[in-house]
Amino acid sequence: MSALRTIGALTAREMLKFVGDRSRVLGALAQPLALWGLLGLGFQNTFRPPQGTAEASYVAFLFPGILALVLLFTAIFSTISIVEERTSGFLQAVLVAPTPRTALVFGTTLGGTLLATAQALLFLGALPLIDHAPGVAGVGMIVAVCLLTGLAFTALGFAIAWRMETTRGFHAIMNLFLLPLWFLSGALFPVEGAAPVLQVLMWGNPVSYAVSGLRHGFHGFADAPTALAGPGVCLAVTGAFAVLMTGLAVWQVRRPFFQT
Amino acid sequence: MPAPAVNIQKVSHHYGSHQALRDVTFQVTPGTLYGLLGPNGSGKTTLFRILSTLMPPSEGHAQVFGLDTAREPSAVRRRIGTVFQEEALDEALTVRQNLRVQGALYGLHGAERRERAKDLLRRLDVADRATDPVADLSGGLRRRVDLARGLLHRPDLLLLDEPTSGLDPAARRTFWSAVHQLRAEEGTTLLLATHLMDEAERCDRVGILSDGALVANGAPDTLKANLGDETIWLKTDAPISLRDRIEAQFGVSTRIVGATVQVAPAAPPTFLSSLYDALSDHIRSATIRTPTLEDVFMVHAGVSPTDSREHVLAHRDTSDE
């Protein structure tokens, strides 16, 4: 019971923190919007969609990829405060309280997940700009992928932040992980047209399945998008990745806190 | 006889090759204020980490009200509250929101939590700032809010790790009068880590930590009385040769503490004048006074309490990782 209260309180804390920080809300939206506009319009006439797929334009092709970028960044960076709060400050109080540490993981990651999903759904507000409507089932699929991907990356961020001494180190590690994962997810270019070595990496990248899942949702299951796998497989892989990352975070938080 | 609030038995701890605590043993009687006095790097924070169940000691046992901190951490956590050197508050949240999260950690909720929070904030004189974000509060106010946070679940033992560091004297006084008032009302046992003499003077008992070892333990007045009544303190450039000369010429026992020689003769004023006639070249200054807690510290620890060993520690910490 006390664990559930802790989870609830920590989830609410993440929300309150985010809403209180307007620049964070805006920054998390403005950057991807700009990237979408610049890349989308820049490659407008040179991009050739793979044959037999439903991709109309590069702007439309890019949209699910940018959505994934919003998710990844919001999810991961919602955990950055853990680096500092762990050794001094707020999290010390959590660690000496009689609440299970697992509750700390679930509360924090749930908060970050909901934030990332809300942020991604806000970004869907840009859909009318390209005159596109995914339909109710499509939005449902997008929400499901967002929740699972958000959970996976908040948990990953948590696990890394728990071991980091400085926020600078956290930034460095994150950039090492995040951008390659995103580049190789089929967000920028379809897997069919890539060099064979990249194709292998893309097949092995869990984010590829999230992006493919978003593409299925984006097209409302109606047309055949450039996806790695069917919607079911995409959800299953993304879900399994989320479970794995949550496990990693729980394992980290249960390890002894100070070196002995 | 009830279990002591804190029972430290032969506790040693090392980080890699660095020995942070050496065979420390002491007890704290329930309802008292016990002060651990020591410079930075003397092992206070390590002891607090062990007592707050953040890590088990390398050797020995630490108990809180008879509960072992390593084997029964969740039972211990229910009995203790903590106020660390830095406030455990979320700056982005308001005072009230912070206390709500804290309540959730201890299963406190609803009217009970609200009443307790309101009552504490009123008694700590921060009730009017309840809806302000913590980031907007001054250092002194934050400390009081943090104290409210540590006391919210009515702990039987409150661990205070240098709770007034970085506060100005006025804020420090306000903080302590709040602590004493709450202590009188709730009977909380307090364990305080400090390097400030005036804070140690307020304690019922004081333990002096030096280089990880407990070198003295007792009531402040007893510790001071053990050094004798009035003694002479001589500042000098060459303490060893001054000591040798005094012992050769006057035959009284002396003690070297840093750059000071302490002499405890039968009649200090007359002794000092004859001492000054004979050895004035070797003495920079001389004082006659009753021992202070600082003298107690210097005698037992061999260094001044304000000497920091932090740089040594910091260096060792990085090499361990």
Side-chain angles (χ1 to χ4, degrees), chain B residues 67-229:
Chain B
L67 304 159
D68 192 285
T69 57
R71 277 176 295 147
E72 301 153 282
S74 30
V76 171
R77 287 174 190 173
R78 262 178 252 286
R79 308 288 297 268
I80 61 170
T82 49
V83 175
F84 289 115
Q85 287 180 40
E86 281 162 87
E87 297 93 7
L89 301 169
D90 190 326
E91 293 202 352
L93 268 51
T94 67
V95 170
R96 193 172 284 155
Q97 287 166 342
N98 265 292
L99 292 183
R100 188 179 304 153
V101 176
Q102 179 71 14
L105 299 178
Y106 289 85
L108 290 174
H109 54 93
E112 187 196 358
R113 191 211 66 236
R114 276 198 301 278
E115 284 307 309
R116 174 68 175 163
K118 217 163 104 182
D119 181 45
L120 278 173
L121 291 180
R122 183 182 51 75
R123 287 197 278 166
L124 291 168
D125 205 18
V126 278
D128 54 332
R129 308 299 296 269
T131 52
D132 289 357
V134 169
D136 292 353
L137 302 186
S138 69
L141 285 173
R142 282 183 202 204
R143 284 306 158 100
R144 267 137 68 195
V145 172
D146 201 38
L147 183 62
R149 181 197 57 72
L151 289 165
L152 190 69
H153 59 287
R154 293 191 169 83
D156 298 313
L157 169 68
L158 186 67
L159 303 173
L160 297 158
D161 188 3
E162 310 222 353
T164 59
S165 69
L167 294 190
D168 60 53
R172 190 167 280 166
R173 269 196 304 278
T174 318
F175 181 88
W176 274 108
S177 68
V179 169
H180 284 300
Q181 192 202 344
L182 284 164
R183 189 183 158 216
E185 287 163 14
E186 307 197 352
T188 316
T189 309
L190 300 176
L191 179 59
L192 164 76
T194 184
H195 63 265
L196 300 171
M197 291 300 150
D198 59 324
E199 287 189 352
E201 292 272 7
R202 306 161 181 272
C203 296
D204 299 317
R205 280 179 85 85
V206 170
I208 293 177
L209 265 181
S210 172
D211 244 347
L214 193 73
V215 291
N217 179 15
D221 288 342
T222 316
L223 291 175
K224 285 185 280 188
N226 286 347
L227 288 195
D229 193 8

Side-chain angles (χ1 to χ4, degrees), chain A residues 59-76:
Chain A
V59 176
F61 173 82
L62 198 56
F63 189 84
I66 298 288
L67 203 60
L69 187 70
V70 174
L71 264 179
L72 261 55
F73 273 85
T74 315
I76 286 262

Side-chain angles (χ1 to χ4, degrees), chain A residues 14-243:
Chain A
E14 293 295 326
M15 305 286 169
L16 288 168
K17 264 165 68 173
F18 193 79
V19 173
D21 193 351
R22 294 238 174 82
S23 60
R24 226 174 119 193
V25 184
L26 277 178
L29 275 181
Q31 207 187 358
L33 264 177
L35 198 64
W36 181 46
L38 292 175
L39 281 177
L41 298 175
F43 284 108
Q44 186 71 290
N45 294 324
T46 40
F47 174 74
R48 200 154 37 86
Q51 284 190 334
T53 59
E55 312 300 347
S57 66
Y58 191 59
V59 176
F61 173 82
L62 198 56
F63 189 84
I66 298 288
L67 203 60
L69 187 70
V70 174
L71 264 179
L72 261 55
F73 273 85
T74 315
I76 286 262
F77 285 106
S78 75
T79 63
I80 196 163
S81 57
I82 290 170
V83 178
E84 277 163 356
E85 289 177 340
R86 185 181 62 100
T87 47
S88 68
F90 182 81
L91 288 184
Q92 287 262 303
V94 182
L95 293 172
V96 299
T99 190
R101 286 196 184 179
T102 322
L104 170 63
V105 175
F106 283 110
T108 312
T109 51
L110 195 61
T113 305
L114 294 179
L115 282 182
T117 305
Q119 194 84 340
L121 293 183
L122 270 183
F123 196 71
L124 284 186
L127 274 178
L129 288 180
I130 51 170
D131 199 19
H132 185 94
V136 178
V139 171
M141 177 73 180
I142 291 176
V143 171
V145 175
C146 284
L147 286 173
L148 291 174
T149 313
L151 179 60
F153 280 87
T154 344
L156 175 66
F158 189 104
I160 292 171
W162 198 255
R163 285 289 132 189
M164 282 315 222
E165 297 293 325
T166 62
T167 49
R168 235 175 328 146
F170 183 81
H171 270 284
I173 295 276
M174 277 308 128
N175 288 333
L176 197 71
F177 265 101
L178 221 51
L179 284 177
L181 281 178
W182 183 68
F183 279 130
L184 294 172
S185 66
L188 281 172
F189 47 82
V191 67
E192 290 89 336
V197 61
L198 286 193
Q199 288 201 9
V200 173
L201 290 174
M202 289 168 85
W203 279 97
N205 178 4
V207 184
S208 302
Y209 299 87
V211 171
S212 292
L214 291 174
R215 288 197 192 288
H216 284 296
F218 183 73
H219 289 283
F221 305 111
D223 315 303
T226 49
L228 276 184
V233 175
C234 290
L235 275 182
V237 173
T238 310
F241 186 58
V243 170

